[in-house]
């Protein structure tokens, strides 16, 4: 049982047939058991993990992020491509835009956000100057070009606790602070991947303008409908990225804990 590359499918990206010959696998971790699919694409072993599980049954604040990342690590995954549905605060990033984000602002409140809580695991302070893998980001942008899709190079993702949407006042604040997009899942997923010394990048799909910018109130149905309308673009970008990635590629993300002797969980 192994994979070198993983897809973490966010809202609306639930189709494991993106990978060939998908098989159900369960991986045990100290944080819980993770169900995912293993298959292949372009000659590479690929894992597919549905972030919100069967039927979108797990809300963003209750996703078992640590179990998910550790399960992928234990399968041998070195590179993760994640997708995320987001609202937009930036008029240049309209509905249906693809954005390869490069920074985040963390407004989560009550989620386990690290593998290192003292005790046997110790205390580790991870550098997140570049929170997303520059190499995968570049590959995603090249994949978009190859697929003739337009994708924004960079964007600041504001991660809220959810599961409610935001107030217009919150959105005005996030915009003042430099946010471009708002979602509920990229933290702690991205920093946990860094702690686990895995390359990780996210492509966001804008499903709506955020509360107060959008002329109407927000609904989850609107988000799902926009994802459905754009699912082919996300699949093309994701699969082309996988086709272009070297399974054994190495970069600094995979040595993020060198100062602490590496990731040993
Ligand atoms: N806010 C938070 N998360 C989201 C949104 C939003 O407007 N759209 C899609 N995910």
């Amino acid at each position: 049982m192994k994979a070198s590359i993983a897809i973490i499918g966010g809202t609306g990206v639930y189709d494991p047939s993106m990978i060939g010959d998908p098989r159900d696998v369960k991986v045990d971790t100290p944080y819980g058991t993770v169900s995912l699919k293993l298959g292949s694409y372009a000659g590479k072993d690929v894992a597919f993990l549905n972030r919100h599980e069967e039927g979108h049954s797990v809300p963003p604040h209750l996703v078992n992020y640590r179990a998910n990342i550790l399960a992928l690590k234990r399968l041998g995954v070195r590179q993760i491509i994640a997708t995320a549905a987001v609202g937009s605060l930036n008029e240049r990033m309209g509905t249906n835009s693809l954005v390869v984000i490069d920074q985040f602002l963390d407004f989560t409140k009550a989620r386990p956000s690290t593998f290192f809580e003292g005790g046997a695991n110790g205390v580790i302070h991870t550098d997140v100057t570049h929170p997303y893998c520059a190499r995968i980001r570049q590959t995603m942008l090249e994949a978009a070009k190859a697929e003739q899709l337009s994708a924004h190079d960079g964007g600041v993702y504001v991660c809220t606790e959810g599961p409610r949407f935001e107030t217009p006042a919150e959105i005005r604040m996030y915009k003042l602070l430099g946010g471009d997009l708002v979602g509920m899942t990229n933290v702690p997923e991205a920093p946990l991947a860094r702690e686990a010394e895995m390359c990780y990048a996210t492509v966001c799909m804008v499903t709506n303008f955020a509360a107060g910018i959008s002329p109407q109130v927000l609904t989850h149905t609107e988000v799902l409908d926009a994802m459905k309308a754009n699912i082919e673009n996300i699949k093309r970008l994701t699969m082309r990225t996988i086709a272009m990635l070297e399974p054994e590629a190495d970069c600094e993300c995979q040595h993020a804990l060198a100062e602490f002797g590496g990731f040993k969980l």
Side-chain angles (χ1 to χ4, degrees):
M1 266 196 346
K2 68 177 182 57
S4 54
I5 299 174
I7 304 166
I8 300 183
T11 298
V13 184
Y14 306 128
D15 181 9
S17 68
M18 287 162 78
I19 55 175
D21 186 27
R23 306 176 301 281
D24 285 310
V25 166
K26 283 193 192 305
V27 184
D28 292 323
T29 79
Y31 303 102
T33 301
V34 177
S35 299
L36 46 79
K37 312 265 184 198
L38 281 186
S40 61
Y41 186 78
K44 296 157 198 181
D45 295 318
V46 179
F48 182 93
L49 198 161
N50 175 357
R51 184 185 293 122
H52 296 285
E53 299 185 27
E54 215 50 40
H56 199 94
S57 57
V58 182
H61 64 298
L62 295 179
V63 170
N64 196 341
Y65 296 99
R66 292 191 296 192
N68 288 351
I69 295 296
L70 194 54
L72 296 178
K73 182 79 179 176
R74 290 191 170 173
L75 288 170
V77 169
R78 300 165 69 130
Q79 308 180 77
I80 301 174
I81 298 168
T83 75
V86 292
S88 177
L89 285 58
N90 183 333
E91 54 290 342
R92 288 190 312 107
M93 298 173 181
T95 306
N96 305 333
S97 299
L98 293 165
V99 186
V100 179
I101 49 176
D102 66 340
Q103 286 289 323
F104 65 70
L105 289 168
D106 179 10
F107 281 88
T108 63
K109 294 174 187 164
R111 308 174 177 193
S113 61
T114 177
F115 292 111
F116 301 103
E117 298 189 310
N121 292 358
V123 174
I124 280 178
H125 301 285
T126 334
D127 173 60
V128 280
T129 305
H130 306 289
Y132 304 96
C133 175
R135 191 179 45 77
I136 300 186
R137 285 190 68 255
Q138 197 52 42
T139 309
M140 280 178 165
L141 293 166
E142 283 163 22
K145 211 172 264 169
E147 290 289 335
Q148 296 179 314
L149 294 166
S150 92
H152 292 267
D153 178 0
V156 178
Y157 178 109
V158 178
C159 195
T160 68
E161 184 68 6
R164 64 168 176 83
F165 290 123
E166 302 71 36
T167 65
E170 286 170 328
I171 293 298
R172 284 197 297 274
M173 173 185 74
Y174 295 143
K175 201 171 167 176
L176 275 175
L177 295 178
D180 295 305
L181 305 169
V182 61
M184 305 176 189
T185 56
N186 217 250
V187 185
E189 194 170 271
L192 284 170
R194 178 60 53 80
E195 283 189 350
E197 300 191 298
M198 297 154 90
C199 296
Y200 175 100
T202 299
V203 58
C204 292
M205 164 61 66
V206 176
T207 56
N208 56 282
F209 275 111
I213 300 176
S214 169
Q216 71 260 12
V217 297
L218 306 182
T219 64
H220 184 55
T221 307
E222 172 188 0
V223 171
L224 290 178
D225 287 350
M227 285 305 288
K228 213 178 279 171
N230 288 286
I231 188 72
E232 285 312 316
N233 290 346
I234 298 171
K235 279 189 192 172
R236 277 165 55 208
L237 183 105
T238 307
M239 302 326 280
R240 176 70 77 132
T241 303
I242 290 177
M244 291 167 75
L245 285 175
E246 280 296 327
E248 303 307 323
D250 196 1
C251 68
E252 58 255 46
C253 311
Q254 296 178 28
H255 305 276
L257 271 54
E259 181 188 359
F260 303 95
F263 182 78
K264 301 210 178 74
L265 302 194

